[in-house]
Amino acid sequence: MKKILSVSLATVLVASTLPSLSFAATNVGQGEVSSIAPADHAKNVDRNAVLEAVIKDPNGSSLKTVDFMEGFTYDYASSNNVNGFFGTSDSDPLTSPLGGTAFTDSNKGEAAVADGNYAVTDAQGAYPYHRFEVDVSKHLEAGNEIELSWQGKTSAEGKLILSAWDYTAGKWVVLEDETANQGGNIVFSKVLADSKFFQNGKVQAMVHDAAASKDAVVDNSKFTMAWFTDTQFYAAEKPEVWTSMTNWMIEEYSKGRFGYVINSGDLVNISTDLDQWAVADENLTRMDEANIPYGVMAGNRDVVNQDTMEIDYTNFWTYAGKDRYEGKPWYGEQMDNNRNHYDLFSFGAHDFIILYLGYGKVREDETIQWTNQMLAKHSDKNAILVVHNYLSPGGYRSQDGTYIFDNVVRKSPNVKMVLGGHYFGADREIRTVTDPDGTTREILEVLSNYQGKDGAEGYMRLLTFDPATDTVDFDTYSPYHDDYNYFEDGSDDFTEGYKLEPTEAVEVPAVRQIATDYIAVNVFTDDVIGSVSNLASGNKASVEWNELEPLTQYFWYVNITNASDQKKTSKIYRFTTNDAALPEPGEPDPDEPIESSFPDIIGTKYEWALDEIEAMVARGIITGQEDGTFKPGNSIQRQHVALMFTKAIDLNKVVPPTPFADVPKTSRFYDEIMAVQEAGIFVGNQNKFYPIEKMTRAEMAKVLVVAFDIELTGTHPFTDVPANHWAAKYIGPLYSSGITAGKSKTIFDLNGEVSRAEFAAFMYRALEYKEKNQ
């Protein structure tokens, strides 16, 4: 089976007009609406709900009005009025009437949320299709906008067609089609505004694969990545240069010229200059909208405050943090809000991990441990390491470069290439490393930076890999000048060895595929919940939505009008109310909420844990992050749990010390980890502690019960906890003692990750339990 590059190809369709049904696309850009409350899909929301959102104008202008509007979403997650069917057809499905086999319960679950779990139908020599029938009769009225949304994929070189049933003509009408190049992920978003697509309130849509049949072929073809770096002066002085580069990348990517783009830092020149960040944001947003898979990292210019010379990631996080990339099909794991991250994708049989290390903290133990763990986790993939300050002209490594080479490159056999910028020039060096098994590998280190002199505008690199010859060819091109190769010494254009794993040919089967990740029909009504006027950009807008029905799901969205009367619309959010009684008229308001020690608690979905977090701060157990935030939604690491235990309680040594292989004495939290090990709270796994791994809810149950001497009695109602599971004996006591109520009344979620807010609350409740029962 050929593996495919995960490339998302977005298609926004233009609908025809209809007097009784207007429409508006959901066109809010990255970061324009944030800090939504209640959080999307929130449960147990008060029936007198407060809707909140931080609204930002891309140009920093004030907002004329922010309208909170009622919406609705028909999808499987809400179990309302969606019927799905799958099937195959020997002839083009567009010539066939409505048909197919009803989706199974499993299919419905796979298509309920855009989570990478697909309802898949394959066909050999036939056309697979998915058909959806949605009853929108309750919302088919003047002023409402009906949007069809589908996300999914097909096989490599597949062609997907989106169509709708024309009830008047009795036939399928093609709305749009997309042909996959090196990958198959596709998003269709279509607003239906013609009455011929509706009958008795129902709409019919179909997505099917219509790729031409072909014999199996051997995939040993060349493939290309693009690389741009150090755009700092373009952001500061010549934005037209960056625009030309982005234009070229969008056009060439659409032609299949390359499949992935690497950036090695210094997006801007002055880290605190928001005008420069606006230029960066515009270009990155255009790449997002073109669904080009790419990775960025912070260079020194992005994060060093030129006034104080201190490292400050605030603006990088705002414009290039994890929120920008989470959900992208190629985006892997990240550390510290995208300071470090990796991407995963494949060309033919060749899998890659591209791992980025942000400037300023590459030599920290935590960074090195995380990097080596991620490379080991993906040891079967070809690894490219991207470090901003690595190689200088003449082939000399920087201090960061030397440290990374000794502590990462030497220890990770899948690393065969390191890319960097920072220093003006183009150079390369080949190092030979002997691995523990006695084999040797060559490391290709490459410097690329063309922004340092007049005339060196817009040059970028193309890396073309040839699996047949185990080589990689570097070309240098400037879309701005339409010119190849800036330097004359041959450093721009060269070919070096690069042995790909695997190098064997892989057959591509002639199989068509349709895979649905998510299907929904969204309704944007014209019913206003409340409005806020004259809001400064970046401020919070809020309105009340009172006297809601108990245990009912509600949907809402935001319409934004700026000072120039330009309008934008957000996506639709949802929440479910609780069944608490509404307060009697005249009943006094609750006490004022306490002030937070951290700026990222109040106004977020984690505000429920504010009291517990502040109590833990008062006890000296929590101090927050280096940037003054708490990051309540981040999953808590095992080493941080160890640290909190040493601050919360006196630990007795009950077992002999047994050092962990992955926690050297030089580790930042060595003493704390050994303390919890000797206290019998953590035992590790196969002589490893996994310090930066995330704490699961099952693990959380055990360590809290052991650390706080919670009596091993009590039962629980959770149907997802088998009686023979190792954590079952801890979950009953944890539930009975009131420390956790589960994810729901019947679900505990054994393998779910525990957020920092959740663990703070759990530990505080455990402390209270211990104090009451001593």
Side-chain angles (χ1 to χ4, degrees), residues 259-498:
Y260 179 82
V261 179
I262 296 169
N263 168 268
S264 48
D266 276 1
L267 295 167
V268 300
N269 193 46
I270 304 295
S271 66
T272 55
D273 190 328
L274 297 185
D275 289 338
Q276 295 181 28
W277 279 110
V279 174
D281 182 53
E282 177 184 356
N283 284 280
L284 298 183
T285 298
R286 293 183 62 214
M287 293 178 70
D288 292 334
E289 291 172 346
N291 289 287
I292 299 176
Y294 72 97
V296 300
M297 62 176 297
N300 59 300
R301 290 285 178 171
D302 301 317
V303 296
V304 175
N305 186 307
Q306 280 77 13
D307 294 326
T308 65
M309 299 310 294
E310 295 180 349
I311 294 176
D312 182 354
Y313 266 77
T314 300
N315 285 333
F316 180 84
W317 286 332
T318 299
Y319 294 95
K322 66 178 182 178
D323 288 346
R324 186 175 205 113
Y325 301 102
E326 284 185 327
K328 302 290 188 184
W330 64 87
Y331 189 62
E333 298 180 56
Q334 58 82 32
M335 174 184 176
D336 194 14
N337 197 8
N338 209 42
R339 171 166 63 86
N340 306 319
H341 90 278
Y342 65 81
D343 293 338
L344 299 174
F345 63 95
S346 302
F347 286 102
H350 307 292
D351 299 335
F352 280 83
I353 173 173
I354 310 295
L355 196 148
Y356 299 80
L357 298 180
Y359 182 85
K361 298 184 179 182
V362 298
R363 285 184 268 173
E364 289 188 351
D365 288 344
E366 192 175 33
T367 294
I368 297 299
Q369 290 176 19
W370 180 85
T371 301
N372 285 330
Q373 286 184 6
M374 297 305 102
L375 290 170
K377 180 178 180 180
H378 298 283
S379 59
D380 59 331
K381 297 176 175 61
N382 299 283
I384 297 177
L385 204 58
V386 188
V387 183
H388 178 66
N389 176 14
Y390 187 86
L391 194 71
S392 64
Y396 301 101
R397 284 194 301 258
S398 66
Q399 289 184 336
D400 281 353
T402 299
Y403 196 86
I404 291 296
F405 185 85
D406 291 338
N407 292 279
V408 174
V409 176
R410 287 186 181 277
K411 297 179 179 181
S412 303
N414 52 333
V415 175
K416 299 173 186 175
M417 183 184 295
V418 186
L419 306 179
H422 188 61
Y423 301 100
F424 174 69
D427 213 331
R428 67 187 184 278
E429 191 71 25
I430 299 174
R431 323 271 185 183
T432 300
V433 174
T434 301
D435 290 323
D437 62 359
T439 61
T440 60
R441 63 187 153 102
E442 290 187 339
I443 313 299
L444 176 59
E445 303 171 335
V446 186
L447 164 68
S448 179
N449 184 346
Y450 292 91
Q451 49 73 39
K453 294 183 178 178
D454 291 341
E457 295 102 350
Y459 285 87
M460 52 193 300
R461 313 297 284 270
L462 292 172
L463 290 63
T464 300
F465 295 81
D466 188 347
T469 60
D470 282 332
T471 59
V472 57
D473 180 71
F474 279 70
D475 289 312
T476 302
Y477 175 70
S478 168
Y480 186 71
H481 291 295
D482 188 21
D483 177 61
Y484 285 90
N485 300 334
Y486 177 73
F487 297 103
E488 299 179 357
D489 58 1
S491 57
D492 285 325
D493 185 354
F494 62 88
T495 301
E496 296 288 357
Y498 188 93

Side-chain angles (χ1 to χ4, degrees), residues 20-21 75 199 264 276 323 356 376 454 477 513 525 577 642 717 762:
S20 62
L21 288 175
D75 62 11
Q199 187 177 84
S264 48
Q276 295 181 28
D323 288 346
Y356 299 80
D454 291 341
Y477 175 70
Q513 180 184 87
T525 80
T577 55
F762 293 147

Side-chain angles (χ1 to χ4, degrees), residues 15-21 140 165-166 168 191-198 203:
S16 59
T17 59
L18 184 71
S20 62
L21 288 175
L140 196 61
W165 185 256
D166 181 343
T168 302
V191 177
L192 299 175
D194 196 318
S195 59
K196 68 183 181 181
F197 294 124
F198 301 90
V203 59

